[in-house]
Amino acid sequence: MKEWNSILKKIIKSASGRLRLLLATIGLSVALLLILSAVQLQANYNELLHSKNNQDSVANFLVVNKQLSNANYGNTTLSTTAIADLKKQPFVDAVGILTPSRFKAAIQSYSSQFPFYTDISFESVPATFIDVDSTQWHWAPGDDVVPMIAPNLFLDFYNFQFSLSQNLPQLTQEIVKMIVFKVNIQTATGILSLKGKVVGFSDRITSLLVPESFMQWANAQYATENNLQPSRVVIRTKDPGNPALVQYLKEHQLTTDADKTRFSKYRQIVNMVVRISWITGIILLLFALLIFSLFIQLTIASCKEEIELLITLGAAPKQLRQFLMRRFFPNNIYIMIAAIIIISILQYVLSHWLQQQYMFISTIISIYTFVTALVFLGVLWIVNFATIQHYIKKENS
Amino acid sequence: MMLLRIEQLVPTPLKPNLANRKSDIWLQNTTFSAGQFIKIKAPSGSGKTTFIHLLYHLRNDYEGNIYWNEQQQQQFNTTQLALLRQQHISIIFQDLRLFPNITARENIELKRVMQTPYYSATEVTRMAELLGITKILAQRTGICSYGEQQRIAIIRALMQPFNWLLMDEPFSHLDSENTAKAAALIKEECTKRNAGFILTDLEDDTHFNYHQTLLL
């Protein structure tokens, strides 16, 4: 077998061109590099979007309500079916209903040194949607103090605008947390006074939050009207920049914090670019396959006479096919290995560069890239085999 | 053992020329028994090379039938045909058909190792010595003389197992001394294999004790 191959190699080698092989190799390498980098880019892109390291805790919660317009003026409640539909969407992980207080309330300071009084309303949300980790976040009927979570926005507004204009002292979060104030709830029989205390600050929901248990109790006891439908919900999503989410909200006349979803536009552009890189990669690969099969055809055509004579002398089609496969196919394996090595190096460099920008991707190539490489090796094998088979048959007849 | 039978055989392009000629082969039914030495005497233009090529299945443009062990030749697929040429029929072409870019020894080796070798590599050296071409074995075949190339072709044909050896003017480029040596070697190899041969030539000759001499 070894001798047979070495003699055949001499016969075929003298006939096939080296430049042609070089060109076909370059074409195939470029195409494979492109297609593998398209896959790897896609993998990196997904990793950047979905890995824990890159996620921003604030961005994952969106408060959604109807867009207030002349058409739905006075009727901005969200129906049960609308909420159920929202829950079903693939980009929504969980939906929490924001329950507003339906009683009149005011808060007032105990201290005369720092007097304040304001009418106020509260909202409550299931505890899993709250980002403040406080042991004080519970309330039961009979408890004296109602814990509250205030939006950072309120404090900033007070510290950087209101206090300056009113000549009041600025307050830190710690100071605010120490203040116990009076919570007055208007009931049918007069004013009910409770104590209130801010236990934490949040960026997630821009309203004064109280525990759900308090809200249920107070609404049941003192609600002035019986509208039970919520107007606002908070949704948890893996990806607030998801164009599908933005599209859905738009279609259902819902609105949310536009700041958090503004990346959706950029995402669409990036998606398009990645898709284009896929298409170019595939087109180039098709060309490369064509070039490579043409190369094999040309090589076989250029040793047509030799192959004819070999068949005349009794070489079996299988023998020739085996030899030609062994001659042409390993080249594809080497090209593939080289492409994988190059992509690996690029990935390593890219991951280090991105790390400096606080973006984290894997330093090694993705399994999908590897699988794609194997799949294309299979495709190349089939193309090689089919071409060789076709031409041997042709010479044989 | 392999029986060769031809039945009303005629190459299509030669049919008009051959219709009115007396021939022992064309348009006849003939059986060649295993192990027979057959001489086919063929004047120019009678289709000598065509006949050899038909038997070796290099062409398909014929009418009638060729049977190898009662199997119709046209029904052989490419794999069976390759097997036939590796194990049962060997050939010495008139136009030799050697690869010009490889050495004489490689040309012979090619046919030795194409199938499970019948002979070891030393046999090449022995036969080359017998036919006096030892010194050109390492030479590129393309630059060898016709006489040398013909002897390379003869040794190549003898490297494989066979039941029939087809020879188309195998000694055309050899002097009488070298012809005698080559004929002796061919006879020895055929006898060793219990094989027969079909030799075509223009004239009568006494190179072998033919069992049968036929006119094409």
Side-chain angles (χ1 to χ4, degrees):
Chain A
M1 200 64 199
K2 217 177 109 198
E3 272 181 306
W4 162 255
N5 279 337
S6 80
I7 296 171
L8 240 60
K9 213 166 163 177
K10 276 190 187 167
I11 293 171
I12 302 294
K13 195 173 150 192
S14 59
S16 64
R18 199 163 283 201
L19 183 68
R20 264 201 312 256
L21 178 67
L22 188 71
L23 287 177
T25 305
I26 292 172
L28 190 70
S29 310
V30 170
L32 283 176
L33 265 178
L34 273 169
I35 200 115
L36 289 185
S37 38
V39 174
Q40 185 58 43
L41 276 177
Q42 187 81 45
N44 288 345
Y45 179 54
N46 276 332
E47 199 179 352
L48 277 177
L49 287 180
H50 299 309
S51 95
K52 282 232 161 66
N53 289 337
N54 297 302
Q55 270 176 8
D56 173 358
S57 72
V58 178
N60 290 336
F61 291 84
L62 296 172
V63 174
V64 173
N65 51 262
K66 271 195 183 167
Q67 207 157 15
L68 186 60
S69 66
N70 290 338
N72 63 8
Y73 187 79
N75 178 27
T76 54
T77 55
L78 295 164
S79 69
T80 321
T81 47
I83 293 172
D85 189 55
L86 191 59
K87 266 185 197 165
K88 272 191 299 192
Q89 300 307 313
F91 42 78
V92 173
D93 285 348
V95 176
I97 289 166
L98 282 166
T99 314
S101 55
R102 294 194 295 274
F103 46 84
K104 281 192 174 165
I107 53 174
Q108 183 183 357
S109 68
Y110 282 113
S111 153
S112 54
Q113 283 182 326
F114 183 67
F116 69 83
Y117 174 89
T118 180
D119 286 337
I120 200 121
S121 67
F122 308 110
E123 263 186 322
S124 77
V125 71
T128 49
F129 288 85
I130 287 170
D131 56 342
V132 173
D133 201 16
S134 169
T135 50
Q136 298 164 29
W137 189 250
H138 52 80
W139 187 87
D143 281 6
D144 202 23
V145 177
V146 181
M148 292 178 191
I149 292 171
N152 271 319
L153 206 69
F154 276 25
L155 193 62
D156 290 344
F157 170 68
Y158 171 83
N159 277 333
F160 302 111
Q161 292 175 40
F162 194 75
S163 65
L164 301 176
S165 65
Q166 305 291 314
N167 210 10
L168 289 168
Q170 288 184 317
L171 301 171
T172 63
Q173 288 194 353
E174 278 60 43
I175 291 172
V176 174
K177 281 182 188 172
M178 287 190 301
I179 301 169
V180 177
F181 45 84
K182 204 191 263 182
V183 179
N184 296 327
I185 298 172
Q186 214 164 56
T187 71
T189 56
I191 304 272
L192 172 78
S193 272
L194 293 163
K195 285 177 187 164
K197 193 181 171 199
V198 172
V199 299
F201 292 86
S202 166
D203 287 313
R204 198 171 283 171
I205 297 160
T206 52
S207 51
L208 200 56
L209 294 173
V210 291
E212 267 198 312
S213 51
F214 173 77
M215 186 62 89
Q216 273 160 16
W217 173 82
N219 272 345
Q221 299 275 329
Y222 313 115
T224 48
E225 52 175 316
N226 270 333
N227 182 6
L228 295 172
Q229 274 313 109
S231 291
R232 305 213 294 172
V233 291
V234 56
I235 59 173
R236 195 175 79 223
T237 173
K238 283 201 182 69
D239 176 15
N242 188 340
L245 167 67
V246 175
Q247 182 66 22
Y248 180 88
L249 295 179
K250 205 173 157 192
E251 274 169 15
H252 293 77
Q253 271 112 46
L254 297 169
T255 175
T256 185
D257 188 347
D259 209 36
K260 290 175 182 170
T261 55
R262 81 190 136 130
F263 286 109
S264 127
K265 187 77 198 164
Y266 304 123
R267 281 274 306 285
Q268 271 175 320
I269 295 167
V270 174
N271 273 343
M272 189 55 77
V273 171
V274 171
R275 225 169 283 159
I276 289 170
S277 80
W278 265 100
I279 294 167
T280 22
I282 288 170
I283 290 172
L284 270 157
L285 186 88
L286 289 179
F287 270 104
L289 288 180
L290 194 72
I291 291 168
F292 217 75
S293 81
L294 278 176
F295 162 74
I296 296 171
Q297 287 172 23
L298 279 170
T299 308
I300 293 178
S302 66
C303 22
K304 191 173 172 286
E305 284 170 24
E306 284 80 3
I307 289 177
E308 233 166 38
L309 181 50
L310 281 167
I311 290 169
T312 300
L313 291 176
K318 201 179 150 203
Q319 278 179 310
L320 284 176
R321 197 174 58 223
Q322 269 176 355
F323 168 78
L324 290 170
M325 275 305 270
R326 213 169 289 177
R327 174 139 173 75
F328 294 119
F329 191 63
N331 211 4
N332 293 304
I333 300 175
Y334 305 143
I335 292 172
M336 192 61 87
I337 291 172
I340 288 178
I341 290 173
I342 291 171
I343 297 274
S344 298
I345 293 170
L346 288 177
Q347 176 73 6
Y348 186 79
V349 172
L350 183 71
S351 81
H352 277 262
W353 182 72
L354 284 178
Q355 223 162 37
Q356 290 163 8
Q357 333 272 323
Y358 301 102
M359 289 186 265
F360 301 97
I361 57 169
S362 168
T363 51
I364 54 167
I365 59 166
S366 122
I367 181 80
Y368 296 107
T369 312
F370 202 71
V371 170
T372 309
L374 288 182
V375 167
F376 277 106
L377 213 49
V379 170
L380 284 170
W381 191 89
I382 291 168
V383 170
N384 275 246
F385 189 86
T387 312
I388 287 171
Q389 181 79 340
H390 177 76
Y391 274 80
I392 288 178
K393 239 187 193 150
K394 213 166 135 186
E395 298 307 328
N396 218 344
S397 59
Chain B
M1 289 296 117
M2 202 167 223
L3 203 70
L4 168 62
R5 186 161 73 82
I6 56 173
E7 192 180 79
Q8 295 297 314
L9 185 69
V10 64
T12 319
L14 294 182
K15 202 179 170 189
N17 298 347
L18 299 176
N20 301 319
R21 263 181 79 252
K22 190 189 166 303
S23 165
D24 295 328
I25 303 283
W26 301 130
L27 293 163
Q28 304 294 321
N29 298 334
T30 316
T31 303
F32 302 96
S33 330
Q36 286 210 311
F37 290 3
I38 317 268
K39 163 76 189 271
I40 308 240
K41 190 183 161 191
S44 307
S46 61
K48 173 177 57 71
T49 300
T50 306
F51 178 60
I52 293 290
H53 285 186
L54 289 185
L55 291 183
Y56 199 63
H57 200 40
L58 283 184
R59 36 196 302 185
N60 264 323
D61 52 344
Y62 64 87
E63 289 171 23
N65 290 308
I66 301 166
Y67 296 95
W68 294 97
N69 266 357
E70 293 308 317
Q71 194 186 348
Q72 204 177 358
Q73 195 189 51
Q74 269 171 319
Q75 284 167 355
F76 281 68
N77 64 28
T78 50
T79 310
Q80 286 171 318
L81 194 63
L83 185 75
L84 187 77
R85 290 170 181 175
Q86 286 183 8
Q87 302 291 340
H88 302 293
I89 309 175
S90 193
I91 192 163
I92 301 165
F93 289 107
Q94 188 189 17
D95 53 357
L96 306 177
R97 304 204 179 185
L98 300 165
F99 289 102
N101 290 323
I102 58 176
T103 65
R105 188 186 278 280
E106 282 163 349
N107 263 297
I108 299 167
E109 276 290 308
L110 179 77
K111 200 70 182 106
R112 188 178 77 83
V113 297
M114 188 180 282
Q115 64 285 310
T116 312
Y118 182 78
Y119 278 137
S120 72
T122 52
E123 196 66 18
V124 179
T125 318
R126 186 186 76 89
M127 288 188 192
E129 233 171 69
L130 271 177
L131 301 194
I133 54 164
T134 310
K135 59 180 187 301
I136 58 115
L137 274 181
Q139 204 172 307
R140 205 168 65 82
T141 311
I143 57 166
C144 294
S145 74
Y146 281 121
E148 286 162 342
Q149 288 192 30
Q150 196 155 39
R151 282 173 280 176
I152 295 167
I154 290 169
I155 297 175
R156 181 177 72 178
L158 298 178
M159 273 300 124
Q160 67 168 86
F162 59 81
N163 302 109
W164 284 100
L165 178 61
L166 308 177
M167 296 182 273
D168 191 4
E169 294 191 56
F171 310 124
S172 54
H173 299 290
L174 300 182
D175 58 33
S176 54
E177 192 190 338
N178 278 313
T179 302
K181 284 180 188 168
L185 179 64
I186 290 168
K187 189 184 167 200
E188 182 191 321
E189 292 300 321
C190 285
T191 312
K192 200 184 267 179
R193 291 170 173 82
N194 288 322
F197 68 67
I198 294 173
L199 183 148
T200 63
D201 213 333
L202 299 169
E203 302 296 338
D204 285 318
D205 67 73
T206 53
H207 304 320
F208 299 97
N209 294 319
Y210 299 111
H211 294 103
Q212 220 178 339
T213 300
L214 299 167
L215 184 73
L216 192 64

